[in-house]
């Protein structure tokens, strides 16, 4: 018989045997986002790493501006820019080892490129040319995920399976603040914590889920606080501080690799541009807000630190910009070439073995294509005879 079944018995508190399963104190995030640049901790930062981060940030910013321009030119169907969020994107790529896996969202093409993916392949999905545009297994980068947060359970499943096999693999899953409102987010964190899977969840809190501000999505003190409810550490970091994001993610990845389980990292950043080219951001935020964040630009913060320490001069700045321009020129040239597409590719790599429905659809499309070719040939003959 339970306490509730005992008539006339009411206990306002749990029975004496009840106790907390996990001490929440070590799991709680800091009260303020962790920072390195502009603090005493910056003096201990590795100079080579800071230089590498700077070069990647400059390259990433140029990649974003070029991809945005390609969208306006009609070469991309859509592009969700990560301008202003480059520190998160670059750090996420650089903290992983070759055998690790990156699980990006649709806004994280830059993270994939920083991990070594060809920029054109990273944009192929957004161009509408292919299902993904690259081999996920070859690059250890999961397909760019357009549905919100569905990549998170996949990351947990892969990491858990790798651990069961004894493979030294960590999965880093990226998601936006809007994705934390999805059921997949809950399921992924719950399973990851219960299984102690080697996963790091990086939430890029850029202020808006399309047009919905964060305070309309959650009443939590921070998104990092959500980690405590699942029994994993929550870390709060300045998402525009490249050195800080790299340090926090490095610690989380190392913890996961050593068997310490998952970590939820909230990087506080800002989406400088619209959600996509189909969005009018002026309808839900003002110019003053955007300008305030421009003063906290990730490239500006790192440039200031490097300059003050004598690690950045005109030659190094020019070299970083020249490298970025070369990348952008190559991307622009290759993206301006029309792709040679086969409509039958629609049915490739959907299932390991095609279903009956797919075979029927493929046969129907093949017949339509053959009929179109025959009509085209007949029309060409008719025009030739007319001449």
């Amino acid at each position: 018989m339970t306490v509730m079944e005992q008539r006339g018995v009411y206990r306002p508190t749990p029975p004496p045997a009840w106790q907390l399963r996990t001490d929440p104190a070590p799991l709680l995030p800091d009260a303020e986002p962790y920072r390195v640049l502009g603090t005493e901790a910056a003096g201990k930062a590795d100079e080579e790493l800071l230089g590498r981060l700077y070069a990647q940030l400059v390259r990433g910013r140029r990649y974003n501006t070029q991809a945005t321009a390609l969208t306006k030119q009609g070469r991309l169907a859509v592009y969700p820019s990560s301008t202003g969020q480059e520190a998160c994107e670059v750090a996420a790529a650089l903290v992983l080892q070759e055998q690790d896996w990156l699980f990006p969202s649709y806004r994280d093409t830059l993270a994939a490129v920083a991990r070594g993916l060809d920029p054109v392949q990273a944009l192929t999905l957004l161009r509408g040319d292919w299902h993904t545009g690259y081999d996920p297994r070859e690059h250890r980068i999961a397909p760019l995920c357009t549905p919100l947060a569905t990549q998170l359970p996949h990351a947990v499943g892969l990491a858990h399976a790798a651990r069961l096999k004894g493979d030294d693999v960590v999965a880093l899953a990226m998601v936006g603040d809007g994705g934390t409102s999805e059921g997949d987010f809950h399921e992924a964190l719950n399973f990851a914590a219960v299984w102690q899977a080697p996963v790091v969840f990086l939430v890029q809190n850029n202020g808006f889920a399309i047009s919905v501000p964060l305070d309309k999505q959650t009443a939590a003190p921070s998104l990092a606080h959500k980690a405590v409810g699942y029994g994993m550490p929550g870390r709060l970091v300045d998402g525009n501080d490249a050195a800080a994001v790299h340090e926090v993610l490095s610690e989380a990845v190392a913890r996961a690799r050593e068997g310490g389980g998952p970590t939820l990292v909230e990087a506080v950043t800002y989406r400088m541009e619209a959600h996509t080219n189909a969005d009018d951001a002026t309808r839900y935020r003002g110019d003053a807000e955007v300008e305030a964040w421009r003063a906290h630009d990730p490239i500006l913060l790192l440039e200031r630190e490097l300059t003050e320490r004598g690690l950045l001069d005109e030659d190094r700045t020019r070299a970083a910009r020249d490298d970025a321009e070369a990348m952008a020129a190559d991307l622009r040239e290759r993206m301006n070439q029309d792709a040679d597409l086969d409509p039958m590719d629609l049915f490739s790599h959907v299932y390991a073995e095609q279903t009956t429905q797919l075979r029927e659809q493929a046969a129907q499309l093949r017949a339509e294509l053959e009929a179109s070719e025959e009509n085209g040939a007949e029309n060409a003959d008719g025009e030739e005879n007319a001449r």
Side-chain angles (χ1 to χ4, degrees):
M1 180 178 291
T2 66
V3 171
M4 295 302 294
E5 290 172 337
Q6 297 177 32
R7 295 182 179 179
V9 175
Y10 171 68
R11 295 184 178 180
T13 59
W18 180 87
Q19 61 181 359
L20 288 173
R21 298 183 61 188
T22 303
D23 181 5
L27 307 180
L28 288 167
D30 296 332
E32 296 290 335
Y34 177 69
R35 295 179 57 203
V36 170
L37 301 179
T39 71
E40 294 182 0
K44 303 176 183 178
D46 180 77
E47 295 181 359
E48 189 276 333
L49 173 62
L50 293 180
R52 188 181 178 195
L53 286 170
Y54 175 74
Q56 288 289 345
L57 288 183
V58 173
R59 183 182 177 91
R61 178 63 55 84
R62 188 64 187 90
Y63 169 81
N64 271 316
T65 57
Q66 184 60 69
T68 299
L70 288 168
T71 306
K72 296 177 180 179
Q73 296 164 9
R75 286 297 179 178
L76 285 175
V78 67
Y79 182 66
S81 175
S82 59
T83 296
Q85 301 177 218
E86 291 93 349
C88 299
E89 301 281 311
V90 168
L94 297 189
V95 298
L96 296 177
Q97 296 182 10
E98 183 178 356
Q99 74 273 17
D100 296 333
W101 274 77
L102 179 71
F103 283 78
S105 72
Y106 58 86
R107 196 177 299 281
D108 301 321
T109 51
L110 174 54
V113 170
R115 182 153 168 76
L117 185 63
D118 184 330
V120 172
Q121 291 183 336
L123 295 174
T124 301
L125 172 67
L126 301 175
R127 194 180 188 181
D129 288 352
W130 193 248
H131 298 301
T132 295
Y134 55 91
D135 182 350
R137 184 172 297 180
E138 175 187 352
H139 299 281
R140 299 287 178 128
I141 302 172
L144 292 166
C145 187
T146 300
L148 290 184
T150 55
Q151 74 274 21
L152 304 187
H154 298 164
V156 176
L158 182 140
H160 180 55
R163 192 185 67 167
L164 293 177
K165 293 173 61 179
D167 294 340
D168 179 23
V169 171
V170 173
L172 194 156
M174 306 177 71
V175 69
D177 49 293
T180 66
S181 299
E182 296 289 327
D184 299 81
F185 175 83
H186 159 77
E187 293 153 6
L189 268 69
N190 194 55
F191 274 119
V194 171
W195 289 338
Q196 288 293 282
V199 185
V200 176
F201 300 99
L202 173 59
V203 178
Q204 295 180 81
N205 177 8
N206 63 19
F208 294 92
I210 306 183
S211 61
V212 181
L214 185 65
D215 61 1
K216 299 297 184 182
Q217 296 182 59
T218 180
S222 75
L223 296 176
H225 276 79
K226 292 179 179 286
V228 183
Y230 299 99
M232 70 177 70
R235 296 295 308 274
L236 187 61
V237 62
D238 184 339
N240 287 18
D241 185 332
V245 179
H246 188 277
E247 180 180 328
V248 169
L249 288 180
S250 294
E251 292 174 354
V253 168
R255 179 176 179 273
R257 198 180 306 281
E258 295 166 2
T263 302
L264 173 63
V265 177
E266 177 189 354
V268 182
T269 182
Y270 194 76
R271 193 189 74 216
M272 297 301 299
E273 296 185 356
H275 176 67
T276 68
N277 55 302
D279 173 41
D280 180 7
T282 61
R283 299 183 64 180
Y284 54 85
R285 68 183 187 185
D287 292 340
E289 178 180 316
V290 178
E291 289 305 314
W293 275 93
R294 289 192 191 282
H296 199 62
D297 183 283
I299 298 179
L300 179 63
L301 294 179
L302 191 51
E303 277 185 346
R304 184 181 299 134
E305 185 69 40
L306 291 171
T307 302
E308 291 178 355
R309 294 177 58 177
L311 302 175
L312 187 66
D313 54 24
E314 287 189 14
D315 290 339
R316 292 180 179 178
T317 302
R318 187 182 305 109
R321 292 176 179 172
D322 289 347
D323 175 71
E325 284 300 328
M327 177 275 300
D330 178 68
L331 175 60
R332 184 170 57 248
E333 179 181 357
R334 290 194 289 151
M335 289 294 291
N336 282 332
Q337 299 173 6
D338 291 331
D340 184 15
L341 303 178
D342 181 357
M344 296 306 298
D345 284 341
L346 283 169
F347 306 97
S348 301
H349 308 297
V350 179
Y351 292 99
E353 296 183 9
Q354 284 193 346
T355 63
T356 301
Q357 291 85 352
L358 274 183
R359 289 195 295 269
E360 292 175 352
Q361 292 169 10
Q364 180 180 351
L365 178 59
R366 189 179 295 107
E368 292 176 356
L369 291 173
E370 292 174 353
S372 178
E373 290 177 359
E374 292 176 359
N375 290 335
E378 292 176 359
N379 291 336
D381 291 341
E383 292 177 358
E384 181 65 26
N385 294 331
R387 286 194 292 268

